[in-house]
PDB file of all heavy atoms in Angstrom:
ATOM      1  N   GLN A  63      15.320  10.348  26.932  1.00 51.00           N
ATOM      2  CA  GLN A  63      15.817  11.703  26.621  1.00 51.00           C
ATOM      3  C   GLN A  63      14.775  12.788  27.129  1.00 51.00           C
ATOM      4  O   GLN A  63      15.182  13.971  27.111  1.00 51.00           O
ATOM      5  CB  GLN A  63      15.882  11.811  25.051  1.00 51.00           C
ATOM      6  CG  GLN A  63      16.986  10.853  24.518  1.00 51.00           C
ATOM      7  CD  GLN A  63      17.068  10.964  23.033  1.00 51.00           C
ATOM      8  OE1 GLN A  63      16.248  11.669  22.379  1.00 51.00           O
ATOM      9  NE2 GLN A  63      17.998  10.299  22.366  1.00 51.00           N
ATOM     10  N   LEU A  64      13.637  12.364  27.446  1.00 52.00           N
ATOM     11  CA  LEU A  64      12.591  13.325  27.890  1.00 52.00           C
ATOM     12  C   LEU A  64      12.616  13.458  29.387  1.00 52.00           C
ATOM     13  O   LEU A  64      11.911  14.361  29.974  1.00 52.00           O
ATOM     14  CB  LEU A  64      11.221  12.913  27.439  1.00 52.00           C
ATOM     15  CG  LEU A  64      11.057  12.617  25.935  1.00 52.00           C
ATOM     16  CD1 LEU A  64       9.669  12.131  25.624  1.00 52.00           C
ATOM     17  CD2 LEU A  64      11.348  13.923  25.150  1.00 52.00           C
ATOM     18  N   THR A  65      13.406  12.720  30.191  1.00 62.00           N
ATOM     19  CA  THR A  65      13.343  12.809  31.668  1.00 62.00           C
ATOM     20  C   THR A  65      14.247  14.057  32.012  1.00 62.00           C
ATOM     21  O   THR A  65      15.214  14.411  31.426  1.00 62.00           O
ATOM     22  CB  THR A  65      13.956  11.619  32.245  1.00 62.00           C
ATOM     23  OG1 THR A  65      15.310  11.407  31.802  1.00 62.00           O
ATOM     24  CG2 THR A  65      13.160  10.341  31.962  1.00 62.00           C
ATOM     25  N   PRO A  66      13.896  14.639  33.184  1.00 65.00           N
ATOM     26  CA  PRO A  66      14.565  15.825  33.710  1.00 65.00           C
ATOM     27  C   PRO A  66      15.996  15.542  34.005  1.00 65.00           C
ATOM     28  O   PRO A  66      16.849  16.414  33.920  1.00 65.00           O
ATOM     29  CB  PRO A  66      13.839  16.330  34.891  1.00 65.00           C
ATOM     30  CG  PRO A  66      12.472  15.663  34.767  1.00 65.00           C
ATOM     31  CD  PRO A  66      12.647  14.453  34.036  1.00 65.00           C
ATOM     32  N   GLY A  67      16.282  14.331  34.330  1.00 78.00           N
ATOM     33  CA  GLY A  67      17.755  13.943  34.790  1.00 78.00           C
ATOM     34  C   GLY A  67      18.598  13.532  33.664  1.00 78.00           C
ATOM     35  O   GLY A  67      19.671  12.955  33.883  1.00 78.00           O
ATOM     36  N   TYR A  68      18.134  13.705  32.397  1.00 82.00           N
ATOM     37  CA  TYR A  68      18.889  13.194  31.311  1.00 82.00           C
ATOM     38  C   TYR A  68      20.297  13.976  31.124  1.00 82.00           C
ATOM     39  O   TYR A  68      21.355  13.277  31.056  1.00 82.00           O
ATOM     40  CB  TYR A  68      18.147  13.314  29.943  1.00 82.00           C
ATOM     41  CG  TYR A  68      18.827  12.744  28.777  1.00 82.00           C
ATOM     42  CD1 TYR A  68      18.944  11.379  28.605  1.00 82.00           C
ATOM     43  CD2 TYR A  68      19.391  13.660  27.824  1.00 82.00           C
ATOM     44  CE1 TYR A  68      19.569  10.969  27.448  1.00 82.00           C
ATOM     45  CE2 TYR A  68      20.054  13.202  26.655  1.00 82.00           C
ATOM     46  CZ  TYR A  68      20.176  11.827  26.550  1.00 82.00           C
ATOM     47  OH  TYR A  68      20.799  11.316  25.426  1.00 82.00           O
ATOM     48  N   MET A  69      20.237  15.250  31.223  1.00 84.00           N
ATOM     49  CA  MET A  69      21.428  16.033  31.103  1.00 84.00           C
ATOM     50  C   MET A  69      22.313  15.778  32.339  1.00 84.00           C
ATOM     51  O   MET A  69      23.627  15.783  32.117  1.00 84.00           O
ATOM     52  CB  MET A  69      21.120  17.546  31.027  1.00 84.00           C
ATOM     53  CG  MET A  69      20.458  17.972  29.642  1.00 84.00           C
ATOM     54  SD  MET A  69      21.405  17.583  28.250  1.00 84.00           S
ATOM     55  CE  MET A  69      22.857  18.669  28.512  1.00 84.00           C
ATOM     56  N   ALA A  70      21.725  15.554  33.533  1.00 86.00           N
ATOM     57  CA  ALA A  70      22.703  15.276  34.596  1.00 86.00           C
ATOM     58  C   ALA A  70      23.340  13.988  34.501  1.00 86.00           C
ATOM     59  O   ALA A  70      24.499  13.744  34.851  1.00 86.00           O
ATOM     60  CB  ALA A  70      21.818  15.268  35.922  1.00 86.00           C
ATOM     61  N   THR A  71      22.699  13.019  33.815  1.00 88.00           N
ATOM     62  CA  THR A  71      23.297  11.690  33.498  1.00 88.00           C
ATOM     63  C   THR A  71      24.396  11.854  32.537  1.00 88.00           C
ATOM     64  O   THR A  71      25.451  11.241  32.636  1.00 88.00           O
ATOM     65  CB  THR A  71      22.183  10.706  32.949  1.00 88.00           C
ATOM     66  OG1 THR A  71      21.125  10.651  33.839  1.00 88.00           O
ATOM     67  CG2 THR A  71      22.783   9.403  32.633  1.00 88.00           C
ATOM     68  N   GLN A  72      24.236  12.704  31.548  1.00 89.00           N
ATOM     69  CA  GLN A  72      25.304  13.014  30.618  1.00 89.00           C
ATOM     70  C   GLN A  72      26.555  13.592  31.258  1.00 89.00           C
ATOM     71  O   GLN A  72      27.720  13.243  30.977  1.00 89.00           O
ATOM     72  CB  GLN A  72      24.801  13.843  29.468  1.00 89.00           C
ATOM     73  CG  GLN A  72      23.638  13.271  28.744  1.00 89.00           C
ATOM     74  CD  GLN A  72      23.850  11.880  28.258  1.00 89.00           C
ATOM     75  OE1 GLN A  72      24.764  11.596  27.457  1.00 89.00           O
ATOM     76  NE2 GLN A  72      22.877  11.026  28.547  1.00 89.00           N
ATOM     77  N   VAL A  73      26.277  14.470  32.156  1.00 91.00           N
ATOM     78  CA  VAL A  73      27.409  15.041  32.926  1.00 91.00           C
ATOM     79  C   VAL A  73      28.171  14.032  33.728  1.00 91.00           C
ATOM     80  O   VAL A  73      29.433  13.973  33.772  1.00 91.00           O
ATOM     81  CB  VAL A  73      26.934  16.173  33.961  1.00 91.00           C
ATOM     82  CG1 VAL A  73      27.974  16.664  34.849  1.00 91.00           C
ATOM     83  CG2 VAL A  73      26.366  17.357  33.098  1.00 91.00           C
ATOM     84  N   ASP A  74      27.426  13.107  34.368  1.00 92.00           N
ATOM     85  CA  ASP A  74      28.049  11.957  35.011  1.00 92.00           C
ATOM     86  C   ASP A  74      28.899  11.060  34.161  1.00 92.00           C
ATOM     87  O   ASP A  74      29.896  10.486  34.516  1.00 92.00           O
ATOM     88  CB  ASP A  74      27.068  11.172  35.827  1.00 92.00           C
ATOM     89  CG  ASP A  74      26.386  11.982  36.922  1.00 92.00           C
ATOM     90  OD1 ASP A  74      27.010  12.953  37.431  1.00 92.00           O
ATOM     91  OD2 ASP A  74      25.210  11.612  37.380  1.00 92.00           O
TER      92      ASP A  74
END
Side-chain angles (χ1 to χ4, degrees):
Q63 297 177 354
L64 302 178
T65 59
Y68 181 75
M69 290 299 296
T71 303
Q72 303 307 307
V73 172
D74 294 338

